[in-house]
């Protein structure tokens, strides 16, 4: 009875059968000693095997009296940006940060040479990095450092196109009629993600409300009556 109780305490289901078979040929005293020794040895083997697995998992290696432990290798997440390439959202954030800091030198490398930038309060787009930087230089020269862009929301996915909503603040307080939304398209140019197209739409100071719908209806009626007017749009 003592033999079977001690054998059953081991975790290996085959061990009690093996121990009982061996113990049948031994005296009661030898049988008890055999069961105890077998169970103890089995537990030691399991502990040693578990330790070896941990050492392999963590890359433990011994050299003299020193033990070196290396963390297990990890596989980069598929959602992580490739090494050396910033997400599009980071490029755009840096763009606004450069404007806020009046640091056009940092903005220059974020804009492609053939970039096209549309600010819808102007009749024509700005074409090329030089023209865009000249526009922002005039913008910076005409406002105070106290006026800053604040991003309200931005597309965080690492794609080639994203949208941004923003507003201006004066010394931390919202500036009137300064809400806007922007669209940016980016491409990899010589290994760097750069803005190749941008469009800004800013909140109008005069808000016509439903009057705008009346105006659109009137223009639509004229185009339907006089289709040749469409050539002048």
């Amino acid at each position: 009875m003592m033999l079977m109780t001690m054998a059953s305490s081991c975790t290996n289901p085959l061990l009690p059968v093996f121990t009982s078979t061996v113990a049948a040929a031994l005296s009661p005293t030898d049988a008890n000693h055999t069961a105890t020794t077998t169970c103890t040895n089995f537990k030691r083997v399991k502990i040693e095997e578990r330790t070896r697995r941990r050492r392999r998992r963590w890359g433990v290696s011994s050299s003299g009296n020193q033990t070196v432990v290396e963390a297990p290798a990890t596989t980069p997440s598929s959602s992580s940006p490739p090494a050396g390439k910033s997400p599009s959202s980071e490029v755009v954030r840096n763009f606004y940060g450069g404007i806020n800091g009046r640091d056009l030198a940092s903005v220059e490398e974020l804009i492609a040479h053939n970039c096209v930038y549309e600010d819808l309060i102007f009749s024509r787009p700005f074409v090329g990095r030089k023209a865009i930087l000249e526009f922002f230089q005039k913008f910076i020269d005409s406002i105070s450092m106290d006026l800053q862009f604040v991003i309200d929301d931005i597309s965080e996915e690492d794609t080639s196109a994203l949208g941004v909503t923003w507003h201006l603040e004066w010394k931390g307080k919202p500036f009137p009629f300064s809400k806007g939304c922007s669209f940016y398209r980016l491409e990899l140019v010589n290994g760097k993600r750069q803005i190749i197209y941008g469009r800004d739409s800013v909140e109008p100071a005069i808000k016509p409300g439903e009057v705008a719908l009346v105006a659109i209806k009137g223009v639509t009626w004229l185009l339907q009556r006089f289709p040749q007017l469409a050539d002048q749009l």
Side-chain angles (χ1 to χ4, degrees), residues 77-90:
S77 171
S78 59
S79 60
S80 302
K85 299 177 182 177
S86 300
S88 296
S89 60
E90 183 178 343

Side-chain angles (χ1 to χ4, degrees), residues 23-40:
L26 302 174
S27 64
T29 301
D30 294 335
N32 290 339
H33 176 71
T34 300
T36 302
T37 302
T38 304
C39 186
T40 301

